[in-house]
């Protein structure tokens, strides 16, 4: 089973400030707390050889119907690998989600931060989900819908975070 979706949002700050906000440890831990992520840990948050990597893991009960399909909880590892910014602040990146209890689920995607208007940023994430085996047709659409909903919730948190920052936390 294959599913794909694309989400896009505009923020009233520059791509540089958007990137710095999204990759702050303080922002990530507060997001995890407010969205109720269980056992959340940031494993990597650094730039090396021109690529900025953000790797975090947590329980994936909200993403996949683990108990129904696998009899327990699954750990989700989420990786964002961002290339260096261009002259106008835009960045491209790759997105990867690994579900420990579901190796037959492959979630990959593309990330983009691009200028929007004079001072704004458009953040786009395009996700491709492939499922194989017994998880296939039944679990694939449910995982795609859950992941899309979770990304929308993260966007809503980002907006709340930015409203509290003066001026925008930077």
């Amino acid at each position: 089973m294959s599913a794909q979706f694309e989400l896009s949002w505009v923020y009233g700050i520059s791509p540089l400030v958007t990137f710095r906000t999204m990759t702050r440890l303080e922002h990530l831990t507060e997001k995890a707390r407010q969205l109720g992520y269980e056992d959340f840990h940031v494993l990597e948050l650094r730039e090396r050889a021109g690529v900025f990597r953000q790797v975090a893991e947590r329980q994936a009960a909200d993403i996949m119907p683990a108990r129904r399909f696998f009899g327990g909880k699954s750990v989700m590892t989420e990786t964002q690998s961002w290339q260096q910014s261009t002259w106008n602040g835009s960045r491209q990146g790759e997105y990867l989600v690994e579900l420990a209890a579901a190796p037959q689920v492959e979630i990959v995607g593309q990330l983009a931060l691009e200028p929007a208007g004079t001072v704004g940023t458009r953040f786009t994430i395009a996700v491709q989900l492939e499922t194989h085996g017994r998880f296939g047709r039944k679990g694939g659409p449910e995982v795609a819908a859950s992941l899309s909903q979770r990304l929308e919730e993260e966007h809503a948190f980002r907006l709340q975070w930015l409203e509290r920052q003066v001026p925008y936390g930077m």
Side-chain angles (χ1 to χ4, degrees), residues 19-163:
F19 180 76
R20 287 189 348 205
T21 298
M22 291 172 42
T23 58
R24 286 176 65 180
L25 182 59
E26 178 185 13
H27 173 81
L28 296 171
T29 54
E30 177 68 15
K31 175 180 70 175
R33 188 185 65 71
Q34 280 204 5
L35 298 180
Y37 294 167
E38 296 178 43
D39 301 325
F40 177 81
H41 306 286
V42 174
L43 304 176
E44 185 176 352
L45 194 59
R46 67 177 174 167
E47 185 172 348
R48 176 186 266 176
V51 175
F52 186 91
R53 282 178 40 98
Q54 174 184 316
V55 182
E57 75 176 14
R58 66 180 179 87
Q59 293 294 326
D62 61 327
I63 298 299
M64 63 179 288
R67 288 193 178 115
R68 189 174 49 186
F69 286 100
F70 302 102
K73 290 185 178 181
S74 178
V75 173
M76 172 178 139
T77 304
E78 182 179 51
T79 303
Q80 295 182 15
S81 301
W82 292 93
Q83 299 299 318
Q84 290 183 336
S85 64
T86 62
W87 65 271
N88 65 358
S90 63
R91 286 181 188 259
Q92 302 295 315
E94 296 177 5
Y95 180 72
L96 172 68
V97 175
E98 299 170 279
L99 299 167
Q104 65 271 47
V105 178
E106 299 172 21
I107 303 171
V108 297
Q110 298 298 314
L111 305 164
L113 288 173
E114 300 168 315
T118 55
V119 294
T121 300
R122 177 173 302 283
F123 173 44
T124 305
I125 180 167
V127 176
Q128 176 75 34
L129 181 130
E130 296 282 337
T131 56
H132 310 282
R134 70 180 184 153
F135 196 74
R137 282 179 257 155
K138 291 183 181 179
E142 189 173 334
V143 171
S146 296
L147 182 59
S148 177
Q149 179 182 344
R150 193 223 359 132
L151 291 168
E152 289 284 358
E153 290 168 354
E154 289 185 0
H155 160 69
F157 170 79
R158 232 175 271 119
L159 288 175
Q160 291 173 3
W161 175 275
L162 290 171
E163 286 176 9

